[in-house]
Amino acid sequence: MDIRNLVYVLEVAKQKNMTKAAEVLNTTQPNLSKIIKSIEAELGVTLFDRSGKTFKLTDVGASAVGQFRAIVESVNDLHARLHDFSTLENGSLLIGLPPVISSVFFPRVVAPFKKKYPKIEIRIVEQGAQKVEQLVRIGELDLGVVVAPVEDEQLGTVRFIEQKLFAVLNREHPCADNASVSLASLRDDPFILFPQGFSVRKHVVLASSRLGFDPPIAFESAQWDLLAEMVASNMGVSFLPEAICAKVVNPEVRVLPLTDPVIPWNLRLIWNKERYLSYAIKEFVRTVEASSQPQY
């Protein structure tokens, strides 16, 4: 049964006149009469009493029209909802961000996106990068932001930002007045790092291992500002992304480019290529692509 034919029945019931209904529906009276008879034949009932000058609903017709109206309204509501999603008037996004990344990613991407599409609900889940990658892979997150490289072929990626790690030293540190500092020269200092599961920690530990030493990890915290305050208290040295270092304002702290080796901090937006991508996800990916700028 064509939904359009139900609309015809509703209009005849409203006008109580075949000719007037045909004019409203921009069709001919014979065609409209044929459609009504076809629906009656399909249902095996008489919808209209044609014995008088006007078309009146029979008892069964009145009952059927109530159902027809509900069906038409439901279909119209479905089209409206789908239109809202396709035009980004509705939708939701669940995005995973490591805490160190959120302070960079949120103001550069999430806030402008939310301003452009205020009706899209955005929820942020803070986890370490390795956990974010896992949750995106199994479909518990729509999107995530992690540190490159991303080696899982199941995941799509787009570049967001490319920077490097800096060393964070107390101003009394022997290297504090240098233009830069090598990782090897800090091998005897206590390291203050992010916990297990954070990519910054992973890359620092891996780089240290390649230089032939295991870094002495004295303290851990998932909060970059607490790491900086520990350094300010002369409890050790730390390593933070370039964008985060710009937020460190404690006068007891010095931030120096880390050399030998340079440790990249390249952020990637990731999603599961094997899962359905909503209009909101696709538009968010396009937004990140448009905002992506290499930093060096």
Side-chain angles (χ1 to χ4, degrees):
M1 186 180 297
D2 194 320
I3 189 69
R4 291 173 297 181
N5 292 346
L6 301 186
V7 174
Y8 288 174
V9 173
L10 294 177
E11 192 60 38
V12 173
K14 178 181 177 181
Q15 299 295 337
K16 299 180 182 180
N17 183 285
M18 190 71 72
T19 302
K20 289 182 179 180
E23 290 176 356
V24 172
L25 295 168
N26 196 29
T27 187
T28 64
Q29 187 272 336
N31 182 56
L32 183 55
S33 179
K34 179 180 178 182
I35 291 172
I36 298 299
K37 289 179 181 179
S38 173
I39 293 175
E40 289 180 325
E42 181 177 349
L43 295 177
V45 298
T46 300
L47 297 175
F48 294 96
D49 178 0
R50 298 167 172 82
S51 61
K53 293 183 179 181
T54 60
F55 274 47
K56 294 182 179 180
L57 288 168
T58 62
D59 290 345
V60 68
S63 176
V65 163
Q67 294 297 313
F68 292 169
R69 185 174 291 109
I71 292 170
V72 171
E73 289 176 354
S74 179
V75 171
N76 288 340
D77 181 63
L78 173 61
H79 283 297
R81 287 176 179 270
L82 294 178
H83 178 267
D84 283 349
F85 278 98
S86 65
T87 57
L88 299 174
E89 288 294 318
N90 209 332
S92 63
L93 291 171
L94 186 58
I95 305 174
L97 299 174
V100 68
I101 291 175
S102 61
S103 61
V104 177
F105 190 75
F106 191 90
R108 296 194 185 194
V109 178
V110 177
F113 183 87
K114 184 66 175 177
K115 184 176 181 180
K116 185 176 181 180
Y117 303 108
K119 294 184 180 180
I120 294 180
E121 178 189 7
I122 298 179
R123 289 179 291 157
I124 302 296
V125 175
E126 289 194 326
Q127 292 282 356
Q130 295 175 38
K131 183 66 173 179
V132 167
E133 187 170 327
Q134 175 191 353
L135 293 176
V136 171
R137 186 182 303 110
I138 64 177
E140 292 191 13
L141 290 174
D142 297 317
L143 297 160
V145 181
V146 300
V147 179
V150 178
E151 299 174 347
D152 191 335
E153 295 184 357
Q154 183 181 348
L155 300 177
T157 67
V158 64
R159 181 179 64 192
F160 169 53
I161 195 172
E162 294 189 350
Q163 294 188 343
K164 53 191 175 184
L165 295 186
F166 275 48
V168 184
L169 313 178
N170 186 275
R171 70 183 182 89
E172 299 295 336
H173 192 281
C175 298
D177 293 328
N178 295 355
S180 62
V181 63
S182 69
L183 183 60
S185 67
L186 304 175
R187 63 187 304 157
D188 296 326
D189 289 284
F191 278 24
I192 303 171
L193 299 178
F194 291 103
Q196 294 280 359
F198 283 69
S199 291
V200 170
R201 176 195 177 113
K202 173 185 174 182
H203 290 306
V204 170
V205 171
L206 182 60
S208 301
S209 178
R210 288 172 175 169
L211 291 174
F213 73 96
D214 293 323
I217 301 173
F219 300 99
E220 299 177 356
S221 175
Q223 305 301 319
W224 66 265
D225 51 347
L226 181 54
L227 297 181
E229 289 303 311
M230 288 182 181
V231 173
S233 299
N234 210 14
M235 300 171 72
V237 300
S238 191
F239 305 89
L240 293 174
E242 185 176 352
I244 301 301
C245 288
K247 301 176 181 291
V248 177
V249 296
N250 194 311
E252 297 298 313
V253 171
R254 299 290 182 268
V255 175
L256 301 178
L258 184 64
T259 61
D260 193 24
V262 171
I263 302 178
W265 190 68
N266 300 332
L267 301 187
R268 300 290 184 265
L269 180 73
I270 62 171
W271 62 92
N272 190 328
K273 295 188 296 185
E274 298 178 2
R275 294 181 177 271
Y276 169 74
L277 299 183
S278 68
Y279 287 95
I281 292 175
K282 292 177 181 177
E283 183 61 21
F284 196 89
V285 171
R286 283 193 287 267
T287 299
V288 172
E289 286 179 319
S291 68
S292 173
Q293 292 183 350
Q295 301 297 306
Y296 69 93

